[in-house]
Amino acid sequence: MQDNVMSMNLPLSQMSEIQAQMKTLEHIQIAPNPMTVNQANSVNFTDVISQSLNSVDLQGKEASALMTAVDTGKSDDLVGAMVASQKASLSFAALVQVRNKLLTAYDDVMKMPV
């Protein structure tokens, strides 16, 4: 019986500690989101897409080089080569999905009545 009382007091004491921590954190102000775009810090869409394409291409080339090194016996890091290959594959698949969404959005805009 005494164990049950002790186990019930433990969550209550933890809750009071959390409430005390929350009261001390109430006065902290959260900084604005740095990802918001304003006039002084605008983002160029072409640059973002170009950087993404270059990044995906670079990942693919690195994965290919690692796989070639393993195939020719210059490297024993099969796991690293496979991980790099999977990363390149995932980034390419994500890029294709973004492309598909952009094309769908473009088609939707073109089908809008004027």
Side-chain angles (χ1 to χ4, degrees):
M1 179 76 173
Q2 191 173 12
D3 290 334
N4 289 339
V5 172
M6 291 293 284
S7 65
M8 289 179 69
N9 287 336
L10 181 62
L12 291 175
S13 65
Q14 288 176 345
M15 286 181 59
S16 60
E17 287 177 24
I18 292 171
Q19 286 176 345
Q21 289 175 356
M22 287 178 61
K23 286 181 182 179
T24 59
L25 295 177
E26 283 177 351
H27 303 291
I28 297 175
Q29 293 183 356
I30 298 173
N33 187 355
M35 295 302 290
T36 57
V37 179
N38 56 24
Q39 295 295 340
N41 194 15
S42 63
V43 177
N44 189 353
F45 182 75
T46 306
D47 291 341
V48 171
I49 295 298
S50 296
Q51 289 172 356
S52 298
L53 286 171
N54 290 336
S55 174
V56 169
D57 184 48
L58 181 64
Q59 286 180 348
K61 287 179 180 178
E62 288 174 356
S64 178
L66 288 172
M67 290 300 282
T68 302
V70 169
D71 289 342
T72 59
K74 293 179 182 176
S75 174
D76 291 336
D77 189 19
L78 178 62
V79 173
M82 293 303 293
V83 168
S85 176
Q86 288 298 312
K87 283 182 182 180
S89 176
L90 284 173
S91 62
F92 183 75
L95 183 68
V96 169
Q97 290 297 320
V98 169
R99 183 208 58 177
N100 291 344
K101 291 290 183 181
L102 287 171
L103 289 176
T104 302
Y106 177 78
D107 287 341
D108 290 345
V109 168
M110 293 316 267
K111 290 178 185 176
M112 285 181 171
V114 179

